Amino acid sequence: MSGDDARDELLALARKAAENAYAPYSRFPVGAALRFADGGVVSAANVENASYGLSLCAETLAVAKALAQGRRGGLVAVAVAGSGARPVTPCGRCRQVISELAALDHADPLVWCADGESVLELRLSQLLPHAFGPGDLPGDPDEA
Ligand code: THU
């Protein structure tokens, strides 16, 4: 599969996930899809709450799902899709949350950010340089 095909396929899964967004307050559905080295994909959409600050972004939920399924690394690419006028780049919290999963095997995944048409391609390290992660804490994160 070409790089463009891999990108388009993951973005299509992110867009599909966005169809299940629960975003009655912002009316801004977002979908995220994570690609793993074994070919697996984990996707999610944003889930809002009447107590606005409790809302969860699509990327954060996708990472939480992946960890809850037992994944501990292997993240090769992330796709984020919104429907606004500009590609949706992960918020600061999501960058840190994605970074936790990526850091487990020192990965620097591609992050594809899309709106309806255009796509921005970045590395996670560009979105979150000098990241703080599990390796910065005392103790062996592999034991967690
Ligand atoms: N949102 C995401 O799900 N991911 C992002 O990268 C940016 C923002 C959600 C949070 C909230 O539900 C809505 O978009 C508007 O901010």
Side-chain angles (χ1 to χ4, degrees):
M1 191 190 287
S2 80
D4 280 1
D5 287 349
R7 180 197 66 191
D8 293 347
E9 190 178 296
L10 201 62
L11 277 168
L13 291 167
R15 290 198 174 95
K16 186 84 199 149
E19 291 174 12
N20 286 327
Y22 177 69
Y25 307 108
S26 71
R27 298 188 190 284
F28 190 76
V30 180
L34 313 179
R35 173 73 74 193
F36 290 87
D38 65 1
V41 175
V42 177
S43 64
N46 53 332
V47 173
E48 298 184 346
N49 192 282
S51 178
Y52 296 168
L54 300 184
S55 297
L56 294 166
C57 290
E59 302 93 308
T60 285
L61 271 174
V63 170
K65 261 176 86 172
L67 287 166
Q69 288 173 6
R71 292 194 177 272
R72 294 293 183 270
L75 182 62
V76 292
V78 177
V80 188
S83 48
R86 292 196 307 157
V88 176
T89 52
C91 76
R93 182 176 191 263
C94 286
R95 293 176 197 202
Q96 182 68 26
V97 169
I98 296 166
S99 179
E100 179 79 18
L101 179 56
L104 295 179
D105 59 357
H106 310 285
D108 188 12
L110 283 166
V111 183
W112 291 305
C113 309
D115 59 4
E117 288 174 18
S118 47
V119 181
L120 195 61
E121 177 178 298
L122 296 160
R123 287 276 171 191
L124 180 60
S125 58
Q126 294 175 283
L127 285 165
L128 189 65
H130 307 287
F132 178 83
D136 295 306
L137 294 169
D140 183 355
D142 292 335
E143 311 246 314

